[in-house]
Amino acid sequence: MDARTITAKERMAIPRQEMPAQDPQVRIGNFNEVNLGLTPEQAQQEALRCIQCKDPVCIAGCPVSIKIDQFIKLIAEGDFMGAVRKIKEDNVLPSICGRVCPQEDQCEKVCVIGKKHKPVAIGNLERFVGDYERMSGQKIDPVIPAPTGKKVAVVGSGPAGLSCANDLAQYGHKVVVFEALHELGGVLMYGIPEFRLPKEIVREELEGLRRMGIEFRTDVVVGRTITVDELMEEEGFDAVFIGVGAGLPWFMGIPGENLVGVLAANEFLTRVNLMKAYDFPKSSDTPVFDCKGKNVAVFGGGNTAMDAVRTAKRLGAEHAYIVYRRSEKEMPAREEEIHNALQEGVEFLLLTIPLEFIGDEKAWLTGVKCQKMELGEPDDSGRRRPVAVPGSEYVLPIDMAIISIGNGSNPLIRQTTPDIEVSKKETIVVDVNTMQTSKENVYAGGDIVTGGATVILAMGAGRTAAAAINEKLAGTAKNFNEW
């Protein structure tokens, strides 16, 4: 079909293109990416499904306001590099966002086609565009304006920090990104498994930022190695953006959490993802709990819980359980991740709450005492509150427990910069219109402000902060979308 002459009726008759994927029985034996990406032919067919609304509401559903209708139109016309150029006006990490962002709750949720049919697969097309640039060998980089003479420190190289750094560089400011770990990428590197987001993709998209002149410094723990005040007073930075995420794991506060074999999802996933513990001792010096033939239970129902339990399955767990106190309907994880977990043999113990962990005489975990729940009236979140069923207690034999019930903010920056106001939950308080904190010329965004959220929401906060920083430093925001 010709993108220039196809009618709206013909567009709506095209079925949504299903992305090829590894067979579930094959993929549980490897850490290769599950979804294999659309072919160019599939991408064009999917792009033709977009009816090019006069008022594209999908753009408003995107936290970074990608010009969705325009990049999809270019795909439909076969101008793939044009689509790359268009999408990167607003999102410098399309290969990443196309894989991990919950489009079904954002842009695709409001897609007009979705009222009668399946919505246009905006996320899959975004991924296609990013992957096409990488695999073609061509690079679309912005033209950087003359230096303004201003210097900005970005603390944290996760989604919020990278998005902020990108925009600031395009305004002409000198940007230095500080990362506490030895490798860049933040949660993109340590929190999301290889089978969902290959690390080489993160590294390649980071290279694009380096080509823009952004400087990266690893192994710098701001709040310990250097403070925010020292960055400004001694290092001469004109502004600071804090995007350190929420990396302090919460525990459940039940008896037995100190037993050997109970750990946080953060630690488990960091060992496997960042330190490659899945290949210990061949090419990694970092071990992880031996899951082979063991029973592993993950407590929680979000995306991190799904990442952890699917990782345990790939490490050879005989039984990999999700233990969650509500029903599947209330799970905050993406439907796709729940579906993939079920396909891979993960066992869901729903409407179940842990009461205590049980160990042997050497303090090794041997089981967890659970109780069945039923759903009562909705709570403040709008989800039905789980209520204990009397007399329903039982013991589940497990060898390893992974706690994945959320994270709080790391206190290092707060402790060394007391004039930054924090909330009761110890997140940084900001003006939501500018992301400025209570401290002059210090801004913050992402999970350190909102608590645990999504990659794309963090990126949106980074862009908001970059615009406000530029306005403060330069007087007015420049238009950097003319590439």
Side-chain angles (χ1 to χ4, degrees), residues 22 45 65 78 93 107 169 197 290 303 326 328 421 444 459:
Q22 281 197 76
Q45 278 292 102
S65 302
L93 308 173
C107 53
L197 177 62
D290 184 6
N303 289 324
R326 289 183 166 97
E328 184 178 321
E421 182 185 354
M459 291 179 66

Side-chain angles (χ1 to χ4, degrees), residues 64-285:
V64 296
S65 302
I66 292 171
K67 302 173 188 70
I68 294 170
D69 58 326
Q70 296 181 39
F71 96 79
I72 288 181
K73 183 174 185 289
L74 289 164
I75 294 174
E77 294 170 351
D79 184 2
F80 300 149
M81 290 309 295
V84 172
R85 186 174 290 104
K86 180 58 62 177
I87 202 169
K88 291 184 78 172
E89 290 178 4
D90 304 295
N91 182 6
V92 73
L93 308 173
S95 286
I96 293 171
C97 292
R99 285 168 165 82
V100 303
C101 289
Q103 294 93 1
E104 66 275 10
D105 291 324
Q106 295 172 338
C107 53
E108 292 182 18
K109 185 176 183 178
V110 295
C111 174
V112 172
I113 293 291
K115 292 180 179 180
K116 292 185 178 180
H117 306 279
K118 290 183 178 181
V120 175
I122 299 168
N124 292 350
L125 291 174
E126 180 181 23
R127 168 186 166 150
F128 169 80
V129 166
D131 289 355
Y132 185 86
E133 178 191 24
R134 190 178 72 257
M135 292 186 289
S136 71
Q138 303 176 67
K139 304 297 180 187
I140 298 292
D141 293 328
V143 176
I144 304 300
T148 63
K150 302 295 184 180
K151 188 166 72 164
V152 183
V154 172
V155 184
S157 66
L162 296 179
S163 179
C164 184
N166 169 71
D167 282 15
L168 287 168
Q170 292 189 56
Y171 287 130
H173 305 307
K174 171 64 179 176
V175 183
V176 181
V177 179
F178 295 89
E179 169 57 46
L181 295 175
H182 65 283
E183 187 153 13
L184 300 168
V187 70
L188 303 172
M189 291 298 290
Y190 72 76
I192 303 176
E194 186 80 10
F195 56 80
R196 200 152 71 86
L197 177 62
K199 301 300 164 273
E200 195 53 40
I201 288 173
V202 181
R203 294 186 188 102
E204 290 198 27
E205 298 214 326
L206 283 163
E207 279 304 309
L209 298 179
R210 280 198 178 92
R211 291 195 300 272
M212 293 167 57
I214 296 171
E215 181 183 343
F216 292 94
R217 299 182 192 174
T218 56
D219 299 306
V220 180
V221 182
V222 174
R224 282 292 181 269
T225 312
I226 191 170
T227 67
V228 170
D229 286 329
E230 287 169 345
L231 284 172
M232 301 179 79
E233 295 167 9
E234 298 178 15
E235 297 291 325
F237 286 96
D238 299 289
V240 175
F241 174 77
I242 301 171
V244 294
L248 193 66
W250 290 334
F251 285 86
M252 298 184 291
I254 64 174
E257 278 189 311
N258 60 336
L259 290 168
V260 180
V262 180
L263 67 161
N266 273 23
E267 179 185 349
F268 178 67
L269 290 172
T270 299
R271 283 176 174 268
V272 176
N273 298 337
L274 187 63
M275 308 305 292
K276 299 182 180 178
Y278 59 83
D279 207 22
F280 174 83
K282 279 195 291 184
S283 63
S284 170
D285 295 328

Side-chain angles (χ1 to χ4, degrees), residues 321-378:
Y321 302 108
I322 280 286
V323 181
Y324 183 60
R325 62 182 184 148
R326 289 183 166 97
S327 71
E328 184 178 321
K329 182 180 178 182
E330 283 78 31
M331 276 187 163
R334 297 182 67 184
E335 286 183 18
E336 178 184 7
E337 301 310 316
I338 295 171
H339 172 74
N340 285 340
L342 287 168
Q343 276 192 330
E344 292 166 8
V346 171
E347 300 168 60
F348 282 56
L349 303 180
L350 304 175
L351 291 169
T352 301
I353 191 170
L355 300 177
E356 67 173 303
F357 292 113
I358 301 166
D360 62 18
E361 66 281 358
K362 294 183 179 180
W364 281 83
L365 178 69
T366 60
V368 57
K369 185 178 180 181
C370 298
Q371 185 171 28
K372 299 297 292 181
M373 312 294 283
E374 59 186 10
L375 294 178
E377 295 300 313

